[in-house]
Amino acid sequence: MIRIDLPRFDRFEGWRDAARQLVGAGVTPDRITWADPDTPADLFGSDPMAQPNDAPVTATKDFLQLARTVSSHSDPERWALIYTALWRAQTDRAFLGNPADPLMDRLNRLAKSVRRDIHKMHAFVRFHELPSTGNRRSFGAWFEPEHLILQAGTPFFAKRFADMDWLIATPEGIARFTGDRIAFDPPAPRPDLPADASHGLWQTYFANIFNPARIKTNAMRSEMPMKYWKNLPETHLIPHMLADAPRRVQAMRDAGASDAPQFAAKVTARIRQQPQDTPAETITQAQEQAARCTRCELCHDATQTVWGQGDPDAGLMFVGEAPGDQEDLAGRPFVGPAGQLLRQTMTQAALDPDKAWMTNAVKHFRFTPRGKRRLHQTPDKSHVEHCSWWLGLERRFVAPKLTVALGATAAFALTGDRSPLTPRRGKVQAATDGGPVLVTWHPSLILRLPDDRAATARAELLSDLRHAGQLLAA
Amino acid sequence: MAQRTLDQKLAILSDAAKYDASCASSGTTRRDSQSGGIGSAGGTGICHAYTPDGRCISLLKILMTNFCIYDCAYCINRVSSNVERARFSPEEVVKLTLEFYRRNMIEGLFLSSGIIRSPDQTMGDMVQIAKMLRVDHGFKGYIHLKTIPDAAPELVAEAGLYADRLSVNIELPQDASLRQLAPEKRPETIRATMADVRLGREAAKDRSHTGKRPPRFAPAGQSTQMIVGADAATDRDILKTSSNLYSGYHLKRVYYSAFSPIPDASAALPLIKPPLIREHRLYQADWLMRFYGFDAEEIGAAHPSGNLDLAIDPKLAWALANRAQFPVDVRNASREMLLRVPGFGTKTVGRILAARRSGAVRYADLLRMGAIMSKARSFVTLPDWHPGALTDSDGLRARFAPAPEQLSLF
């Protein structure tokens, strides 16, 4: 047997150097004894180390990372296992990537246990403040991990607590940080850490953030295993918190509902908004009422009511179908891609988008959720009918000389005519309330059509908007 | 009123904060204190402790104050409650956060508050605390700020500059319940605040024409919380609401909080035992929507009542209701279909796909790779396993559900 003595710290580098030499020299795994610092000497002595040679030894990056993690495990067999994997990988690279292989499965489990222990170290180290002489504050902790993770686990603390001196003592050794790099020392007896007032506050927090009406101790024990409890300042409170919980819940139940303090009614009377149900006298009042609309079910899923926007004295009104995703989020109409196309086309037709009232036939977005997206759905006849109340109010206050209906839904809402749009496009119809309505495409149609047909539709929209300008000027 | 000590205030204002479930500290930008300041963030979240209610403590979760002018029936801090009141000064919140942080007890701060005077005043004070931590103390840890609905958009925008996560609670799964139980809150303004946060995050991702990146905005996204069991909403309603929230506002998480008895309860809401199993099933269903490609509708439709089966997990319930799609042949099934097999998690499916490249996957391999074969065996075929008539047998559900128990009379 060849005995390889690994150092107390930087063990993985020690293993890697030796393993490279041994694999290169063709030494099979069963001929090596890997010895940690506390391993007793072999009874029969050991064979000499293999001669250094230049034979290439290869491994994947992922395997080296895995081996490094496994090297922190407390299992004495770990060195032999990673050596065996390295040995096998020289002739069969594929098994390194196969999670069903028993050796890889074992290594993955060891690594997982190490990673979990490191994670728990990051969670459960509790610093006590130590007296400090310089201008940096000083802290110390005692921690008992399951594995040999002092070196793998402490760089986290150097990054997090760069502005303070700290030491973490463990049975494996001591890590000290004074602002530069972490120094590692051999283990020493557990230090006496001074009492720390913040630990008292922490216990107050722990006891009060607990809800006695929910008891789920299994979740607690699986995530905060008992083996870590003895060094945590808060865990000794748990038995009493649990024992007292049923009494506290019973007390809540017995107390039942209480009488409100006297000032409560006054505060409520002052701030609770009473919905104003009198008929709206201005367009702003109508907008406030529409913001609370629950006439149809669309208000539950949509974000908010999207009211019209623009110049209420304009004389020109645009009515689209319904807000889309972007309009729904912003609470303003025509801010999405179709709205941008409409504004561009208006500008081309010498119509100022700010000098028109822009609104929709239906004021809430209708959609089906699909993963992270909301797919637009055309509103039903019933939605249009429910919403005609608001469109009617808008029309009463804006009193447009001309209304442009964008698409079939708007044309239906304004004229009550549900016949196909194509023969009506470009023509003026009478609105149900009497005014003239110029029917044209909805800009979102242009965005959905294939390029050649989109260009035609866009030209038609532009000519209709020019026509609208002429009608308005007449 | 005698001046309260810091310890007394902490007791009152953490007790008042415990009904918020969120304690996540993951998924934010990577940063640490090597370039100055104190703290780090950006890896996986760290839970520094667990209380016996099964919830983790990752953040210092406190209210700035539990004085509140709103009267939400489900809340311990409503104006009509007789609970003891207290208020932290901004310096006290900053000091508690930093001192706990230095002792490695927390990942950061989750600050919420009752509404004092006005939503703007409250939000402004909270933003001030976050700013003190970030700017005055160079705090690099995690900050989660509760967004007060109806606060001015400029304050929400400023909050997003200092906070990793913003959240505004939807509170109840249906608008009608919220209007009834929280008359001062309005579902549409709550959603509009979420929309503002989503738009703020999207705007922070667009580089300007000079290629300059705008300041980061709530890099860990937004979340919300829904109380389960305080109104008559079914699980199907709840999941539908969640699905709307995920798609509409790109939330990172929806938290479900079993309605839990509070001291000094309101007459409007009877005290019940918190429906913890239901809460657990909803979280499982939520995971199915986010990581397994399920729709809210198909999970909700698995049981005619519209509620999830409490005895078995929702994926198993779905599979039992859709047996025509099983058994699945593990040798050639798609990732999407493997994800629908009860007993296969996302990691197991990843391992199966990797192992398939090296040859056939057998029963023992699946066991090793973390599959729960007691569940999966009825739904898969393998080179060395066929479920036979098991998949379609009438008694299949009974194999998974715990044996019926005589109800306790007390």
Side-chain angles (χ1 to χ4, degrees), chain B residues 6 29-30 58 68 108 111 127 142 144 172 185 234 260 334 388:
Chain B
L6 185 60
T29 44
R30 225 169 244 287
S58 180
C68 189
L111 187 64
V127 170
Y142 193 92
H144 179 160
L172 291 158
K185 292 196 172 180
T234 63
S260 150
S334 65

Side-chain angles (χ1 to χ4, degrees), chain B residues 330-345:
Chain B
V330 173
R331 275 174 303 189
N332 50 27
S334 65
R335 178 186 202 94
E336 290 69 32
M337 202 55 222
L338 287 173
L339 283 170
R340 290 187 170 236
V341 175
F344 286 4

Side-chain angles (χ1 to χ4, degrees), chain A residues 29 34 46 59 72 98 155 175 223 235 239 260-261 272 274 324 329 370 378 404:
Chain A
W34 299 94
S46 80
S72 295
N98 181 6
E223 295 300 331
T235 41
R272 187 166 298 177
Q274 294 302 328
L329 295 173
R370 185 66 41 82
T378 303
V404 178

Side-chain angles (χ1 to χ4, degrees), chain B residues 23-105:
Chain B
C23 213
S25 58
S26 57
T28 190
T29 44
R30 225 169 244 287
R31 51 185 192 247
D32 62 46
S33 62
Q34 286 173 316
S35 54
I38 165 88
S40 61
T44 52
I46 298 174
C47 300
H48 286 275
Y50 287 81
T51 50
D53 55 20
R55 284 183 168 162
C56 84
I57 300 179
S58 180
L59 304 172
L60 171 63
K61 184 160 40 175
I62 46 174
L63 261 55
M64 187 173 74
T65 175
N66 64 342
F67 287 101
C68 189
I69 56 177
Y70 284 10
D71 198 24
C72 310
Y74 49 82
C75 180
I76 183 180
N77 304 312
R78 67 188 188 285
V79 66
S80 60
S81 147
N82 293 290
V83 72
E84 270 193 280
R85 310 274 175 175
R87 181 175 183 173
F88 279 129
S89 71
E91 291 75 18
E92 285 171 328
V93 176
V94 168
K95 182 173 173 232
L96 276 174
T97 307
L98 290 173
E99 292 308 312
F100 283 165
Y101 195 86
R102 285 190 184 281
R103 286 158 183 81
N104 201 41
M105 291 158 172

